[in-house]
Amino acid sequence: MPTNVYNFGAGPATLPKIVIDKIANRLGNFTDGMSIMEISHRSSAFKDFASQSEKNLRSLLQIDDSYAVLFLQGGATQQFSMVPMNLANQGTVDYLITGAWSKKAADYAAYHSRLNIVADSLDSNYKDVSDPINWTHSKDAEYFYYCANETIHGLEIHQIPSVSVPIVSDMSSTLCTRPIDIEKYSLIFAGAQKNLGIAGLTIVIVKKDLIIGKAKDLPPLMRFDSHHNDKSMLNTSPVFSWYVAGLVFEWILEQGGLDAMSKLNENKASLIYNYIDNSTLYQNHVNPKFRSWVNIPFTMTQDGLEKKFLKMSSDAGFKNLKGHRTVGGMRASVYNAMPIEAITKLITFMEDFENINS
Ligand SMILES: *Cc1c(COP(=O)(O)O)cnc(C)c1O
């Protein structure tokens, strides 16, 4: 085994080494000789941890009291249903489709609302977003939905679209990669296993006035207001996943918060894109305006080298560089926890590979 292994997988994704060490050291004894895997979500030790983790997330993203912060299960995919069920009430909803995840979210929304597709990037094979002048908004949308970062296609929307209805955003692969203007959003959700921890936990940040007293006909577990009323402990919470996310929030704060993350991520992304753009072997086809900071897909200008590249890179310790099965090619996912030295080493590896093969 190579001494340094870097996991470039898109999710579940790499965690900060410090967080893994902390978990390992404390695993057997979170409180009173009991492991974090054994204790009740209602124990005071966990409740204290949970409330501190919410405080930390609020401070990282500057979330004020007009928002509820929910720690739920069901993955980001469950939000594809919960969002229209709670916010649309069979009304019209506007979806911007820019890749696989917003496409899926729109398909799910069609079960619970009148779906209007504002624009669809399919015609550019999800490599570009059309000019907002050409978007077709509906007159009476309950909300406007977009995916801030398309994890599979490596397409990121760096500026909040300017619309006049509440904005909902899937930030599964981008939440906490940089500061955001939280007040511009009515609802943000993110599965934790990309940038915030492990699978089993989904964060929902939602304007309280959008959820309180609404959606009375829905089952309790599908309602934002019931989760909010029970402090995300309506049923047994995913204690271990929540714990890991809490440690990740602490780690981000210790690193200098989201300004520090933003600098690091922008720097990592520009190193890779600069290298790819100047190379004759590798290429990235996403419109540079919409290139993702954290999921960087690339292909080769020569046929027949991909398998060799994936095998050699894996042997050298660069794991999971294979692109998503639906798009092929390669993809480097470089979330907060991916250190800059992993990027410089990867680039050196790619250079060597290019030199041998051209
Ligand atoms: C991974 C991902 C999802 C799906 O998350 P699950 O937790 O598997 O439901 C949704 N949206 C985006 C942007 C993702 O990256």
Side-chain angles (χ1 to χ4, degrees):
M1 265 232 309
T3 44
N4 270 323
V5 166
Y6 297 109
N7 176 11
F8 288 92
T14 203
L15 285 165
K17 171 106 184 29
I18 298 171
V19 168
I20 294 177
D21 291 345
K22 221 179 228 181
I23 294 167
N25 287 336
R26 288 200 212 141
L27 193 60
N29 183 9
F30 178 72
T31 180
D32 295 333
M34 288 175 289
S35 154
I36 184 71
M37 298 178 293
E38 303 164 313
I39 60 162
S40 168
H41 54 302
R42 302 196 196 282
S43 61
S44 58
F46 184 69
K47 273 192 180 160
D48 290 348
F49 182 89
S51 107
Q52 187 59 47
S53 71
E54 181 180 332
K55 273 194 202 121
N56 288 347
L57 184 62
R58 281 184 183 273
S59 114
L60 280 171
L61 287 162
Q62 301 186 359
I63 305 168
D64 71 26
D65 208 41
S66 64
Y67 290 85
V69 176
L70 308 176
F71 294 78
L72 308 182
Q73 305 189 54
T77 305
Q78 179 151 303
Q79 294 311 311
F80 295 171
S81 302
M82 276 181 80
V83 166
M85 286 169 92
N86 282 268
L87 305 190
N89 203 13
Q90 304 296 328
T92 305
V93 292
D94 280 358
Y95 276 65
L96 176 66
I97 299 183
T98 52
W101 289 117
S102 48
K103 167 77 174 98
K104 194 169 191 178
D107 290 346
Y108 277 41
Y111 287 97
H112 311 284
S113 56
R114 254 175 291 126
L115 174 67
N116 171 52
I117 309 283
V118 168
D120 190 338
S121 295
L122 178 63
D123 42 10
S124 71
N125 234 333
Y126 302 123
K127 290 177 173 61
D128 203 355
V129 182
S130 66
D131 192 317
I133 297 172
N134 301 317
W135 294 359
T136 50
H137 296 274
S138 52
K139 273 186 237 89
D140 53 351
E142 304 288 337
Y143 60 82
F144 170 88
Y145 179 106
Y146 78 106
C147 178
N149 183 70
E150 289 283 359
T151 316
I152 293 173
H153 291 93
L155 181 147
E156 180 158 8
I157 296 184
H158 293 276
Q159 281 188 333
I160 310 172
S162 147
V163 298
S164 55
V165 296
I167 297 181
V168 172
S169 186
D170 176 359
M171 294 204 181
S172 292
S173 45
T174 189
L175 192 64
C176 292
T177 58
R178 75 194 71 191
I180 52 170
D181 206 348
I182 200 92
E183 291 94 66
K184 299 234 166 94
Y185 298 93
S186 291
L187 190 150
I188 290 168
F189 64 88
Q193 73 273 24
K194 308 287 160 60
N195 198 43
L196 304 172
I198 61 170
L201 178 75
T202 309
I203 310 277
V204 177
I205 302 161
V206 58
K207 271 267 177 211
K208 286 179 186 166
D209 60 14
L210 270 181
I211 59 166
I212 289 175
K214 307 255 177 79
K216 287 200 168 44
D217 297 333
L218 297 175
L221 268 175
M222 295 306 285
R223 282 165 51 173
F224 290 129
D225 64 346
S226 47
H227 286 291
H228 172 57
N229 292 339
D230 274 22
K231 296 193 157 45
S232 306
M233 293 186 181
L234 198 54
N235 63 333
T236 311
S237 303
V239 170
F240 188 69
S241 305
W242 194 332
Y243 172 65
V244 176
L247 295 181
V248 170
F249 302 156
E250 274 173 25
W251 175 81
I252 299 173
L253 282 166
E254 286 159 13
Q255 302 305 300
L258 299 188
D259 285 326
M261 288 299 122
S262 168
K263 273 201 202 97
L264 175 70
N265 291 323
E266 189 172 21
N267 193 4
K268 289 187 300 194
S270 70
L271 282 174
I272 301 184
Y273 286 119
N274 280 341
Y275 170 66
I276 289 176
D277 288 346
N278 289 310
S279 114
T280 49
L281 183 60
Y282 309 100
Q283 51 191 351
N284 168 286
H285 291 293
V286 178
N287 177 349
K289 224 177 115 183
F290 296 106
R291 281 173 165 180
S292 168
W293 283 7
V294 286
N295 305 107
I296 303 174
F298 56 95
T299 52
M300 305 237 189
T301 51
Q302 282 179 47
D303 285 340
L305 284 177
E306 260 176 37
K307 255 207 174 123
K308 188 174 170 193
F309 179 88
L310 290 169
K311 165 88 172 65
M312 282 181 70
S313 57
S314 176
D315 289 348
F318 306 104
K319 302 290 182 188
N320 293 321
L321 281 168
K322 197 174 175 16
H324 191 267
R325 61 188 190 288
T326 56
V327 294
M330 276 69 62
R331 172 179 52 176
S333 292
V334 292
Y335 301 115
N336 287 351
M338 186 62 75
I340 192 111
E341 59 270 19
I343 309 300
T344 49
K345 285 182 192 165
L346 174 65
I347 290 173
T348 305
F349 172 85
M350 289 169 73
E351 256 165 1
D352 290 347
F353 186 88
E354 180 168 4
N355 289 336
I356 303 166
N357 290 289
S358 52

